[in-house]
Amino acid sequence: MFHTNGAGGELLRIEGLHTEFATRAGTVRAVDGIDLRLRRGEILGLVGESGSGKSVTGFSIIGLLDEPGRVTAGRIVFDGQDLLAAGEPALARLRGSRIAMIFQDPMMTLNPLLRIDTQMIEAIRAHSKVGRDAAWRRARDALGLVGIPSPEERLRAYPHQFSGGMRQRVVIAIAMLHAPDLIIADEPTTALDVTIQAQILHEMQRLRREREMALIWITHDLSVVAGLADRVAVMYAGRIVEQGSVDEVLDTPEHPYTEGLIGSIPSHDAAGGALAQIPGMMPSLIDVGPGCRFRERCPRATHRCRDDDPAPRSTGGERLVSCHHPGSGR
Amino acid sequence: MTLYIVRRLLQSVLVVVIMLVLVFVGVYVIGNPVDVMVSTEADQEEFERMVRLLGLDQPLWKQILVYISNLVQGDLGRSFAFSEPALKLVVQRMPATLELVFVAMVMALATGIPLGMYTGLHPDTVPARLIMGTSIIGVSIPNFWQGLMLIFVLAVSWGLFPSGGRGELDTVFGITSSLWTADGWRHVLLPAVNLALFQCTLIIRLVRANVREIVLLDYIRFARAKGLAWRRIVFVHILKNTLVVLITVIGLQLGGLIAYSVVTETVFAWPGMGKLIIDSVYILDRPVIVAYLIVIVMLFITINLIVDVLYSVIDPRIRTARSGGD
Ligand SMILES: Nc1ncnc2c1ncn2[C@@H]1O[C@H](COP(=O)(O)OP(=O)(O)O)[C@@H](O)[C@H]1O
Ligand SMILES: [Mg+2]
């Protein structure tokens, strides 16, 4: 299938995205003005502490925000189409066929009462006008592709008959059924143990190479991103504080938050050494005051950081940093 | 599964024995049925003859033992009042009750599930609020009062329905029921509505609460992320998961409906088991009371078994757990 742009062209552009939850306690500004770009076939790691707005960003793109979540401002342009202006039917046509999503907990992602074949065939027939038999064969091949042994048999099984890792493979197989241009993977390995996590990561990289699909890999674990992503965006309190190519960002972090995240990777320190946890807590996303959101926890904070909210600034190439005192600490 | 069923049946036998003893002691403490049955002018001699005839002169434990040994031989004793086998009396009245309960349950489900789904999927809309508001009224008015109002308005004032009793019977496929005749339906509608109202409210609330929980689950979001039509998500993914909870409640409520039909049957003069048990309690007709309770327990057990089987049909996790456990 040919699209307007060839490989390497722009696939997704997010401009000034604001997503809010109007709750009783106040308006939660979960995503508070972010800009992101993604090329075809590119892997973007979206990293940040829990609660920083990574999932909400993903759900905003695919249009599946929980109530009372609303996108209040910004643009999300996918392959030339403005997703925020698109109606629900148009979005439903894109979901599963051109944009797919994988969630954190594979135990919860599949319907416990329906067989795997039912859940795969319905996904195939939602977008392809094929008969049940043809759909079944496609489902079987898809399971084989993600490394599930004896797929014919496994198609007849129920989700609870699979281990966590195998279930996540099923979910990945479903996400890949229509060879989407973009997969949003929201912490897909967080709920799995480390060996399985490595297998799934490996599998995703292999599939990505074969299929040329773009991937937004959401995680709180920078070490996962290091081996997987082309580019990384670091999220903090509803903002993207730093983004750039993986090598640049990890080798020479400009933002003190990024630096803190790198410092808290276990394998980074000498074995047995204490991890440098970032002190303090993320501020509430209700009534965010003026100034930099990270200043309370920041070793470099000055008066300027208290009054003046730093805007993203380019530090060369695609590198963007939102900090008054950027620079690598090493 | 078989082992499971056998275990369940043994449990039920225990329940029946305990219940028997309780009812015997209960009725014994309340008073002597002969007081009620014999006319006030009867002399002492006739009174004692009657007591001996019914075996009430024996000590309580002996009465229980005799009763149980007869019970084991399938004899539940004779009604003091009608001097007919007690079980026969109860079983004769059973179809009327089951018919009423069946119609009520179907009505409650046919209205409760769609309304519950609707209010669960669109909780903040005006129709949903209206449904929930109305359904509160449904629970807060006592059952017998609802029944009397139904009779008063629809039967007496407007004359749309008969005010009581069961309609003409007919036999189709060997089943005798009033549901085969138009007259039968005219008679059954009001009492069935009366019996169904509370159940309907309950089902609406239950389905609504359940649907609201289910729509937030990841697998529903994933179903949407697959690009499925909303129709399919509602009628396959949500409805099927709601059924699991619904079946438990139907099982519990069906038993409850049979038991509570006592009130409705009394108000609508419906000739079922409920009316029989009320009449029997008035005259302390112990064999009938005990026979009724045994039948009710048996019905409960049967319903629970069916519910268990249905469970494993719908939920594969239970199926695996059971076959693995046995
Ligand atoms: N349904 C919701 N209602 C209210 N607040 C929400 C809801 N979903 C997410 N949020 C808020 O949005 C913020 C970002 O959440 P999320 O994107 O899930 O973080 P994470 O980076 O861990 O994925 C959090 O502060 C969270 O409390
Ligand atoms: Mg998250």
Side-chain angles (χ1 to χ4, degrees):
Chain A
M1 205 192 287
F2 289 95
H3 299 296
T4 42
N5 297 315
E10 181 182 274
L11 179 67
L12 180 73
R13 188 171 77 246
I14 298 177
E15 290 170 354
L17 179 70
H18 285 75
T19 304
E20 302 180 350
F21 293 86
T23 67
R24 234 171 258 157
T27 301
V28 181
R29 299 187 205 289
V31 173
D32 199 22
I34 65 166
D35 300 297
L36 266 182
R37 272 152 200 262
L38 193 66
R39 280 185 283 265
R40 284 182 186 285
E42 186 177 43
I43 302 186
L44 172 77
L46 189 57
V47 200
E49 274 170 290
S50 159
S52 54
K54 307 181 299 290
S55 298
V56 171
T57 303
F59 294 138
S60 301
I61 297 170
I62 201 168
L64 292 178
L65 285 169
D66 275 336
E67 287 294 321
R70 295 274 178 281
V71 173
T72 52
R75 267 157 61 81
I76 300 176
V77 182
F78 173 78
D79 199 16
Q81 184 179 3
D82 185 349
L83 297 187
L84 296 179
E88 181 57 29
L91 283 178
R93 274 196 299 279
L94 284 181
R95 285 188 207 122
S97 70
R98 300 199 54 205
I99 306 178
M101 189 153 179
I102 300 171
F103 303 129
Q104 175 166 346
D105 190 351
M107 301 291 174
M108 298 295 295
T109 313
L110 296 169
N111 190 329
L113 302 189
L114 300 178
R115 287 192 339 199
I116 299 300
D117 52 2
T118 312
Q119 303 194 49
M120 292 190 80
I121 289 171
E122 70 179 3
I124 293 168
R125 306 213 324 155
H127 300 289
S128 306
K129 301 283 155 273
V130 294
R132 279 195 64 86
D133 288 349
W136 184 88
R137 282 191 298 275
R138 255 172 83 177
R140 178 198 57 195
D141 296 345
L143 281 192
L145 194 73
V146 295
I148 290 182
S150 46
E152 275 116 8
E153 240 168 79
R154 300 308 272 159
L155 271 176
R156 275 194 303 275
Y158 286 91
H160 73 276
Q161 294 165 311
F162 289 79
S163 67
M166 280 297 159
R167 240 186 271 198
Q168 196 63 297
R169 282 171 196 260
V170 173
V171 172
I172 291 169
I174 292 177
M176 310 237 318
L177 279 171
H178 297 280
D181 300 300
L182 171 63
I183 293 188
I184 302 166
D186 188 359
E187 312 217 22
T189 57
T190 304
L192 307 174
D193 61 47
V194 184
T195 27
I196 312 285
Q197 190 171 336
Q199 286 172 11
I200 298 276
L201 272 175
H202 179 77
E203 206 70 55
M204 282 305 282
Q205 268 170 311
R206 179 177 67 81
L207 292 167
R208 210 269 314 203
R209 264 198 312 277
E210 288 168 7
R211 295 296 177 92
E212 270 266 311
M213 57 187 186
L215 189 58
I216 297 180
W217 191 280
I218 297 174
T219 178
H220 60 263
D221 186 354
L222 256 184
S223 60
V224 169
V225 165
L228 177 75
D230 304 314
R231 278 196 314 124
V232 59
V234 180
M235 236 181 139
Y236 185 77
R239 294 272 178 82
I240 289 175
V241 294
E242 175 161 14
Q243 58 176 308
S245 78
V246 165
D247 296 340
E248 280 176 348
V249 172
L250 293 189
D251 290 346
T252 54
E254 296 273 0
H255 198 284
Y257 179 63
T258 314
E259 204 175 84
L261 280 183
I262 293 171
S264 60
I265 299 174
S267 56
H268 194 80
D269 268 16
L275 294 183
Q277 283 294 344
I278 307 172
M281 270 174 30
M282 207 172 65
S284 157
L285 297 176
I286 302 173
D287 298 327
V288 190
C292 174
R293 288 159 195 222
F294 188 59
R295 69 178 187 278
E296 304 280 346
R297 305 168 71 180
C298 181
R300 303 180 203 160
T302 60
H303 280 298
R304 189 167 171 216
C305 306
R306 198 182 57 208
D307 310 322
D308 192 3
D309 192 6
R313 277 186 303 156
S314 172
T315 61
E318 289 198 317
R319 196 77 185 277
L320 286 172
V321 183
S322 311
C323 182
H324 293 309
H325 310 287
S328 184
R330 288 170 305 157
Chain B
M1 196 77 198
T2 335
L3 190 74
Y4 176 80
I5 292 177
V6 169
R7 205 160 52 213
R8 290 287 299 265
L9 285 178
L10 287 179
Q11 279 170 5
S12 338
V13 170
L14 191 70
V15 170
V16 169
V17 171
I18 292 174
M19 184 199 72
L20 257 173
V21 174
L22 285 180
V23 171
F24 253 81
V25 175
V27 175
Y28 185 84
V29 170
I30 292 170
N32 192 332
V34 181
D35 290 343
V36 189
M37 285 154 61
V38 175
S39 69
T40 36
E41 293 101 63
D43 56 8
Q44 190 62 20
E45 201 176 319
E46 189 183 341
F47 185 87
E48 303 214 317
R49 196 179 52 79
M50 196 74 171
V51 167
R52 264 194 311 282
L53 185 75
L54 299 178
L56 298 173
D57 53 341
Q58 306 289 326
L60 180 65
W61 63 269
K62 220 170 187 174
Q63 291 183 37
I64 296 182
L65 278 189
V66 169
Y67 188 87
I68 291 184
S69 75
N70 287 341
L71 179 69
V72 173
Q73 293 157 40
D75 178 7
L76 272 70
R78 283 174 173 272
S79 157
F80 296 159
F82 302 94
S83 48
E84 276 203 65
L87 184 63
K88 185 178 152 207
L89 277 175
V90 174
V91 170
Q92 271 174 352
R93 303 289 198 96
M94 194 155 71
T97 296
L98 292 185
E99 176 181 295
L100 178 62
V101 166
F102 171 75
V103 176
M105 201 69 202
V106 171
M107 277 183 179
L109 288 172
T111 49
I113 295 178
L115 290 180
M117 294 280 287
Y118 178 82
T119 53
L121 291 172
H122 312 279
D124 295 323
T125 58
V126 174
R129 282 165 199 270
L130 221 70
I131 292 166
M132 296 317 289
T134 321
S135 75
I136 288 183
I137 301 175
V139 224
S140 41
I141 302 176
N143 206 243
F144 74 94
W145 180 252
Q146 278 174 23
L148 290 177
M149 291 319 282
L150 283 173
I151 294 180
F152 182 71
V153 176
L154 295 177
V156 178
S157 296
W158 297 354
L160 296 177
F161 297 97
S163 63
R166 193 177 178 209
E168 276 171 40
L169 302 180
D170 199 354
T171 304
V172 179
F173 307 125
I175 300 169
T176 305
S177 166
S178 76
L179 299 184
W180 305 123
T181 68
D183 182 56
W185 275 99
R186 280 182 1 102
H187 280 83
V188 82
L189 276 178
L190 282 194
V193 166
N194 180 226
L195 202 53
L197 272 175
F198 182 77
Q199 302 303 318
C200 182
T201 309
L202 195 84
I203 292 170
I204 292 177
R205 296 192 161 259
L206 193 92
V207 170
R208 178 184 120 105
N210 203 238
V211 165
R212 293 193 64 176
E213 267 172 40
I214 292 171
V215 290
L216 297 179
L217 295 178
D218 262 0
Y219 64 76
I220 297 301
R221 192 171 2 216
F222 189 61
R224 297 186 64 195
K226 293 197 292 192
L228 298 188
W230 183 235
R231 219 173 332 116
R232 180 161 176 100
I233 296 177
V234 170
F235 290 107
V236 178
H237 289 259
I238 298 178
L239 186 60
K240 193 152 189 194
N241 282 276
T242 303
L243 285 185
V244 176
V245 178
L246 212 55
I247 282 174
T248 325
V249 175
I250 293 172
L252 286 173
Q253 291 304 312
L254 208 53
L257 271 181
I258 294 172
Y260 285 121
S261 68
V262 170
V263 175
T264 300
E265 288 185 8
T266 309
V267 172
F268 287 88
W270 187 263
M273 291 190 294
K275 183 129 181 8
L276 175 70
I277 184 69
I278 287 289
D279 294 344
S280 305
V281 167
Y282 279 140
I283 56 168
L284 298 177
D285 196 344
R286 190 169 67 200
V288 178
I289 300 174
V290 177
Y292 170 81
L293 289 173
I294 290 179
V295 167
I296 291 282
V297 169
M298 293 301 175
L299 281 173
F300 265 87
I301 292 164
T302 316
I303 292 166
N304 279 343
L305 271 180
I306 295 173
V307 165
D308 275 338
V309 172
L310 279 182
Y311 253 155
S312 37
V313 168
I314 290 199
D315 196 331
R317 289 166 297 186
I318 292 174
R319 201 150 60 222
T320 322
R322 287 229 181 106
S323 56
D326 287 359

